[in-house]
Amino acid sequence: MALLALASAVLPALLALAVFRVPAWACLLCFTTYSERVRICQMFVGMRGPKLEECEEAFTAAFRGLSDTEINYDERSHLHDAFTQMTHALQELAAAQGSFEVAFPDAAEKMKKVITQLKEAQACIPPCGLQEFARRFLCSGCYSRVCDLPLDCPVQDVTVIRGDQAMFSCIVNFQLPKEEITYSWKFAGGGLRTQDLSYFRDMPRAEGYLARIRPAQLTHRGTFSCVIKQDQRPLARLYFFLNVTGPPPRAETELQASFREVLSWAPRDAELIEPWRPSLGELLVRPEALTPSNLFLLAALGALASASATVLAWIFFRWYCSGD
């Protein structure tokens, strides 16, 4: 049964090639079936006879000029609808006892006008990328194809001064689909300029079509890669070689100098040093401790003690007198 099914599927196609004798699969064969074409000729000249083969050959010859036609891939459905309408019109002409010698060339001319009104396929934009909007359909083989361009784009050089900001834009010069577009970033360090994916590691924190590094340091020297995907299918891979040169900015130099001074200060000594707060006995015993500020403090303490004693004496006197 399987062999019979296979034979029933293959034999009509082989018969169509033998009968129509076209050098390539033309638009007529892409958008109409063999049974549709044979039925149209049978309606024109009858079920059998030499006129049937003549009709089939005339059908092919009329549309031979469309054998190498290329159209925008998105226009396939429109062209298919046009061929469907054409077959219906030919059937009506055959039912009305029309002539296929006139009907077929006239139908082919109308189809040529329809094709010229279809939206043209977009041109491929070099140098790289899977450009779906430039996909086209070829009647010469009933298949589609996209631009013959690599996924990997040339490496772009980005040079920044150490300490400045480095920014990368994952943008291509062709139109991207509007849905399910994602961006992923990778980095190959060590100053390596490469497009070999085995040297790259993922940068999970980088998202979107823009990536920024600030401040750029010598450790950032290397190749950054951005992969544009649609539903996990790569559309393009961009590469940016970051070259970090020159001294850091002046403000950073001053900050680093201050930081080095702090680091040169012994941390243990810093932990032990505390502000000196002498006691009253130390102030009286050590003459070098009687600085102007300490003398003022001593006088203030004496005045406070005297005032406190006076207040206490007055309170005691009032209490004593009130008791009498």
Side-chain angles (χ1 to χ4, degrees):
M1 294 297 294
L3 292 176
L4 290 176
L6 180 61
S8 62
V10 174
L11 288 177
L14 295 177
L15 183 60
L17 286 175
V19 172
F20 285 89
R21 296 190 183 97
V22 291
W25 292 87
C27 289
L28 180 67
L29 300 184
C30 294
F31 297 102
T32 63
T33 64
Y34 171 71
S35 59
E36 288 175 339
R37 297 188 294 270
V38 171
R39 174 156 179 77
I40 289 173
C41 280
Q42 288 175 343
M43 293 180 66
F44 272 110
V45 298
M47 299 298 294
R48 291 181 178 83
K51 276 287 189 179
L52 180 62
E53 182 177 353
E54 181 182 348
C55 176
E56 293 170 345
E57 292 180 350
F59 206 170
T60 303
F63 285 85
R64 187 168 288 120
L66 302 179
S67 61
D68 296 327
T69 300
E70 295 184 8
I71 64 171
N72 188 309
Y73 186 73
D74 294 334
E75 296 290 329
R76 299 181 334 277
S77 59
H78 295 160
L79 189 56
H80 182 272
D81 293 342
F83 269 99
T84 301
Q85 295 175 7
M86 179 203 72
T87 57
H88 292 163
L90 289 176
Q91 290 173 0
E92 292 177 357
L93 286 174
Q97 303 298 317
S99 171
F100 68 84
E101 289 91 347
V102 177
F104 290 159
D106 183 61
E109 287 298 322
K110 291 180 179 179
M111 293 307 303
K112 290 180 181 179
K113 292 180 180 180
V114 170
I115 291 175
T116 58
Q117 295 174 358
L118 295 177
K119 183 173 62 176
E120 294 183 0
Q122 296 186 15
C124 298
I125 302 177
C128 59
L130 179 61
Q131 303 175 23
E132 280 294 335
F133 279 85
R135 183 181 290 274
R136 57 192 62 206
F137 182 84
L138 285 74
C139 284
S140 59
C142 298
Y143 68 95
S144 67
R145 70 178 181 188
V146 292
C147 306
D148 187 17
L149 297 173
L151 283 178
D152 292 325
C153 301
V155 180
Q156 304 178 44
D157 289 287
V158 179
T159 302
V160 298
I161 299 176
R162 181 185 175 191
D164 286 354
Q165 172 179 280
M167 183 173 290
F168 313 109
S169 299
C170 192
I171 299 176
V172 291
N173 55 0
F174 59 88
Q175 186 176 359
L176 292 174
K178 297 181 179 180
E179 298 178 351
E180 299 181 350
I181 294 296
T182 59
Y183 301 85
S184 60
W185 292 84
K186 298 177 182 291
F187 175 60
L192 190 63
R193 181 189 179 96
T194 181
Q195 290 180 299
D196 189 340
L197 298 179
S198 62
Y199 289 101
F200 288 85
R201 58 179 177 84
D202 292 331
M203 300 176 63
R205 295 181 59 186
E207 298 178 353
Y209 69 96
L210 285 178
R212 180 173 59 184
I213 298 176
R214 58 176 183 181
Q217 302 295 339
L218 294 178
T219 55
H220 297 140
R221 189 173 183 269
T223 305
F224 292 82
S225 173
C226 170
V227 183
I228 306 175
K229 295 182 179 180
Q230 181 194 27
D231 193 20
Q232 301 304 316
R233 181 180 60 164
L235 300 182
R237 284 191 290 262
L238 283 71
Y239 298 88
F240 308 89
F241 178 72
L242 178 61
N243 188 21
V244 183
T245 62
R250 179 180 178 84
E252 182 182 341
T253 304
E254 295 175 354
L255 180 61
Q256 290 179 350
S258 301
F259 185 65
R260 283 193 296 269
E261 291 179 0
V262 173
L263 292 179
S264 63
W265 189 25
R268 291 185 179 180
D269 295 341
E271 292 175 358
L272 296 175
I273 295 176
E274 295 180 359
W276 179 46
R277 296 183 178 89
S279 63
L280 181 59
E282 291 174 329
L283 287 174
L284 298 176
V285 173
R286 300 179 58 180
E288 66 274 11
L290 297 177
T291 61
S293 58
N294 288 338
L295 288 174
F296 175 79
L297 178 61
L298 185 60
L301 289 174
L304 180 60
S306 177
S308 300
T310 302
V311 172
L312 289 174
W314 182 75
I315 293 173
F316 177 77
F317 177 75
R318 291 289 303 272
W319 173 78
Y320 180 78
C321 290
S322 62
D324 293 342

